[in-house]
Amino acid sequence: MNTYTNEIDELVQELASLPGIGNKSAQRLAFYILSMPMERVEKLSDHMLHARKNIHPCKTCFTLTDGEECPICANAKRDHSTIMVVENTRDLMAYEKTGQYHGVYHVLQGAINPGLGITPADIRLKELMTRLQTDVKELIIATNSSLEGEATAMYISKLVKPAGIKVTRIASGVPVGGDLEYIDEVTLYRALRGRTEI
């Protein structure tokens, strides 16, 4: 037997399907949304639809943007000879919060994970290799410290080293198994400063 009406149950189920949202949080959000003025609900839904329709990968680094190129890639003041490789846009944003990195990024949009069927061909490695044919001096590998992130880092290192480009890995300080988006700026800054060649 349903506790609520079908429409409330459907709203709760949709919200609970989002990452990090459990059933209780979904119920709280559903009832909060239902108590909001109609104008705010419409504005929220319009923003969600607009974002989904207009945000796409940057043509250069593959982070999410609403333009052809993201503001970081388009910024001539950034050091375009240093590229930091991250798994996703959330990781990029975590490093940007430190305010200490002035190079550019390459977003893989994932990590190698044979268990889930994700191979090197499924992430943006081909595009990375194309970018490395320009005047790149250092490639910083800042994938997560998970098994998949480490495997991806080693794979990239083996691909890039023959090109004579300096390849470094972020230093310890980032906990094993931790996601970069949840790590504080000081820890990320120390990891960046203490990176080592691999």
Side-chain angles (χ1 to χ4, degrees), residues 1-6 9:
M1 183 174 116
N2 290 344
T3 309
Y4 310 113
T5 65
N6 285 341
D9 278 338

Side-chain angles (χ1 to χ4, degrees), residues 23-197:
N23 199 46
K24 285 188 178 185
S25 294
Q27 286 178 22
R28 268 195 305 276
L29 286 169
F31 286 113
Y32 182 78
I33 291 168
L34 293 171
S35 71
M36 290 168 55
M38 187 56 76
E39 302 81 42
R40 282 195 59 210
V41 175
E42 287 172 352
K43 187 175 179 182
L44 175 63
S45 66
D46 286 348
H47 280 298
M48 291 169 64
L49 286 169
H50 188 267
R52 185 61 188 93
K53 287 177 185 174
N54 296 298
I55 294 176
H56 53 269
C58 168
K59 72 172 189 168
T60 304
C61 75
F62 301 97
T63 192
L64 296 175
T65 186
D66 58 359
E68 190 175 337
E69 200 171 42
C70 74
I72 295 170
C73 289
N75 187 345
K77 293 181 181 177
R78 300 292 291 231
D79 177 7
H80 289 260
S81 69
T82 303
I83 298 176
M84 181 185 291
V85 178
V86 295
E87 291 181 26
N88 55 54
T89 298
R90 294 183 310 273
D91 296 343
L92 180 155
M93 295 309 299
Y95 270 101
E96 279 301 288
K97 283 182 192 174
T98 70
Q100 302 299 316
Y101 177 66
H102 306 293
V104 292
Y105 296 90
H106 187 84
V107 180
L108 294 172
Q109 296 181 340
I112 299 168
N113 188 339
L116 294 177
I118 301 171
T119 68
D122 297 316
I123 58 177
R124 299 287 186 168
L125 287 177
K126 179 181 164 192
E127 294 86 350
L128 174 63
M129 297 309 291
T130 300
R131 286 183 75 187
L132 295 178
Q133 293 172 9
T134 61
D135 188 26
V136 176
K137 295 177 183 165
E138 182 181 5
L139 185 72
I140 303 168
I141 303 176
T143 53
N144 288 313
S145 296
S146 62
L147 187 61
E148 296 79 17
E150 291 296 333
T152 304
M154 292 308 297
Y155 187 88
I156 293 170
S157 175
K158 287 178 184 174
L159 274 181
V160 175
K161 275 204 165 195
I165 296 168
K166 181 180 179 181
V167 180
T168 57
R169 177 84 168 112
I170 56 172
S172 60
V174 175
V176 174
D179 285 327
L180 293 176
E181 66 181 292
Y182 301 114
I183 299 169
D184 65 281
E185 291 87 353
V186 174
T187 302
L188 285 172
Y189 176 62
R190 286 180 182 157
L192 178 61
R193 287 292 302 265
R195 66 186 183 272
T196 55
E197 192 162 351

